[in-house]
Amino acid sequence: MLDQFSRQINYLRFSVTQRCNLSCGYCGNQNCLSAKDELGAYEIQQIVQAFVKCGIKKLRLTGGEPLVRADLTEIIERVATIEGLDEITATSNGVLLTHDSAKALKAAGLQRINISLDSLNPLRYKEITGGGKLDDVMNGIDAALVASLTPLHINAVLMKGINDDEADDFIRFARKNPVTVRFIELMPFGPNGDGEAIVPNSEILARHPYLLPVEGSSKSQPSVDYTAKNWQGKVGFISPITEKFCDSCNRVRVLSDGSLLPCLGSENKTPLKPFIDDEQKLMEVIKTAIREKPTGHHFERGCAAGYSLQSIGG
Ligand code: SAM
């Protein structure tokens, strides 16, 4: 459906948990909801179904870390039964993704997965993530490729003085592997609220003039993709700060407690849980919130909000 600025809203990002098995300094916070406050698989299905009836075509399950939910496969199986939903994807840190779990997720109906990875150096990865093992993610990437959870996107957030010296390593990774490495600009959330460590994507691109734009990059995604001759993969640039894409935003979010967040830059949440068993009312509430989706974020002016992406679902 269209919002008040005539944007076609057809993409729902659903945070199924705020819990995470990693604790990345720029992403996490200490006050996440526990499992008992999360929606159940049935409740998620009911909400997604109402969204699909309001025009949502694409669903991304996120968190927190979606794979910490023991019932993730059941959630996927349930939403996969919803008529009119064209795409079911997920975003994960990949640590818990094994060959068995990747296969099970694919069989349940998951089409693709994005894996977040901020360093290719094991020691640094451990530091950034508060103890994560790079080998586990690498195995997760392999498992996702083998299970055809593709095209596979690897999302990296570069931060000045932390991992900005790894841009070339990531680009090399994209040259040698059938994946798209996407650089996402740091947004001013949570502990890094001032966003000062941001590495503008234009700086990375300027250092690699041989990169060629990929023709026909999807208009519905904010990533601008590039590749080069004889490469296996691609690099993508997602620039929410230096090249805002709010004008073409097609997404809304639901948080793990069932509240609807129409814009990443807004603190205006609408609770959906009270209407789970009344689809007409649920759709009415969803339509009103979508219609009133704000014009965009103002991250370029400074700190976004008191919350972190872990709590709202990145
Ligand atoms: N646990 C899953 C994962 O690691 O992909 C899903 C949730 S995580 C919040 C989703 C994405 O948000 C990650 O790629 C993470 O790097 C990104 N993210 C977290 N905080 C961010 C920030 N302040 N600016 C930009 N991206 C951020």
Side-chain angles (χ1 to χ4, degrees), residues 20 26-27 62-66 91-93 116 118 155 157 184-187 189 309-310 314:
C20 190
Y26 69 98
C27 174
T62 180
E65 171 51 43
T91 296
S92 165
N93 57 41
S116 304
D118 295 332
N155 291 337
V157 177
I184 303 181
E185 287 178 344
L186 180 70
M187 293 181 278
F189 282 103
L309 269 198
Q310 179 181 341

